[in-house]
Amino acid sequence: SLRSVFGVGDRHLDFICASRQSEPGLGSPLAHLDLIMSLDDCTLTYFGGTGRGEVLRLALARLGVQWTDERLDFKDWQAAKSSAPWGSLPTLKLADGQVLAQTKALLRLIGKKGGFYPADELLAFRTDELIDAVEDLSNTVRLTGAKLEGAEKEAARMVSAEAGGEIYLAIHKIDAFIGLHGTDGFAVGSALTTADFALFTTLSSIAGCTYDGVPLTVLDPFPRIHAVRKMVASLPTTIAWYAGRGDAKSKFELFFESAKDIVL
């Protein structure tokens, strides 16, 4: 019961309920103590590509619940946009109809449900810290050469990805972070975390020609990053996920999948 879970006496719990009942607009007195929200039969909605949705697909595959992978065509997005809480994708619709949004918040929720978001506060901080750093790297790559066109943009990214360039140095910091805070192919600590999925999808996207001008070899100087990518790609749930995609796999998904064959 809630009384035993929270270690409070009857009179104390009754006081909490009575005091909440006197506060209009706050709903059920103990609604904030919901311990059993389920992700069973949820629906993840994103576009057909990998993008920001792939990290959640792999995390949900790891979680092991029944869920629906809804992929929107861009032509259908405007009609569906009003139903997205923040006017963007991905979203996660629960079985009871509630719609949740924002990629990092969703990833954290799935990780907590699946036991791959750390309970230890410092490890949880390091996990979030690395996910933010990976997002910063993605923005750095995207903005490099942003005001240039065609071959000039590609050349700017190529130079930035070389030793000493801004992209190279950002990747180097991530690799060094893993050296300090991870071990044995795990980016943070000694077990799977949401940071591993975030690093896998984002760094694989950067290396897999999502951004024109970034060479396929951009990650070769960074063995720790390769080790994390290989570990995530080698998870039975990841292997099964990509196998299940069959002929629908894009060239990007094929590149993601191939990380299991990285030679360290």
Side-chain angles (χ1 to χ4, degrees), residues 135-145 157 160 166-167 170:
E135 183 179 52
D136 288 345
L137 168 63
S138 181
N139 289 332
T140 294
V141 176
R142 179 176 55 84
L143 293 173
T144 299
R157 287 177 173 164
S160 185
E166 188 175 9
I167 293 174

Side-chain angles (χ1 to χ4, degrees), residues 137-138 141 167 171 201-211 214-215 218:
L137 168 63
S138 181
V141 176
I167 293 174
I171 299 174
T201 53
T202 301
L203 274 291
S204 295
S205 292
I206 290 171
C209 296
T210 300
Y211 300 94
V214 178
V218 66

Side-chain angles (χ1 to χ4, degrees), residues 13-249:
L13 187 58
D14 291 341
F15 171 77
I16 293 173
C17 294
S19 64
R20 286 297 303 277
Q21 286 171 342
S22 66
E23 300 177 37
L26 292 183
S28 170
L30 293 175
H32 66 303
L33 301 182
D34 179 13
L35 298 178
I36 55 173
M37 184 182 73
S38 173
L39 296 185
D40 281 314
D41 298 317
C42 65
T43 297
L44 176 68
T45 302
Y46 191 63
F47 302 111
T50 51
R52 290 179 294 177
E54 196 72 2
V55 66
L56 301 178
R57 292 170 182 144
L58 295 181
L60 283 168
R62 182 67 181 179
L63 180 60
V65 298
Q66 293 293 318
W67 61 284
T68 300
D69 179 27
E70 182 181 44
R71 300 187 181 224
L72 285 186
D73 289 332
F74 283 105
K75 62 181 176 61
D76 299 324
W77 168 231
Q78 287 304 316
K81 190 172 183 178
S82 61
S83 64
W86 300 98
S88 62
L89 295 178
T91 60
L92 190 73
K93 185 176 182 179
L94 303 182
D96 65 4
Q98 292 188 77
V99 180
L100 313 180
Q102 296 295 349
T103 304
K104 290 191 291 185
L106 292 172
L107 179 60
R108 191 178 302 116
L109 172 64
I110 296 166
K112 287 179 178 179
K113 288 293 186 182
F116 48 92
Y117 183 81
D120 178 89
E121 289 184 346
L122 182 56
L123 286 177
F125 176 85
R126 294 299 188 195
T127 295
D128 291 337
E129 181 182 11
L130 182 55
I131 290 173
D132 286 346
V134 166
E135 183 179 52
D136 288 345
L137 168 63
S138 181
N139 289 332
T140 294
V141 176
R142 179 176 55 84
L143 293 173
T144 299
K147 296 181 179 180
L148 302 174
E149 297 293 336
E152 290 184 329
K153 176 186 286 189
E154 292 182 23
R157 287 177 173 164
M158 181 74 74
V159 170
S160 185
E162 294 175 351
E166 188 175 9
I167 293 174
Y168 179 97
L169 291 175
I171 299 174
H172 181 273
K173 286 181 180 179
I174 290 171
D175 196 68
F177 181 97
I178 297 169
L180 288 173
H181 303 294
T183 184
D184 296 331
F186 300 110
V188 176
S190 57
L192 184 71
T193 68
T194 52
D196 296 308
F197 287 111
L199 185 145
F200 173 79
T201 53
T202 301
L203 274 291
S204 295
S205 292
I206 290 171
C209 296
T210 300
Y211 300 94
D212 294 338
V214 178
L216 285 168
T217 56
V218 66
L219 300 180
D220 286 356
F222 307 107
R224 299 183 189 96
I225 289 174
H226 270 329
V228 174
R229 292 181 59 230
K230 182 179 179 70
M231 181 276 294
V232 173
S234 299
L235 292 171
T237 51
T238 302
I239 292 172
W241 171 254
Y242 286 124
R245 290 284 293 147
D247 293 337
K249 274 183 288 199

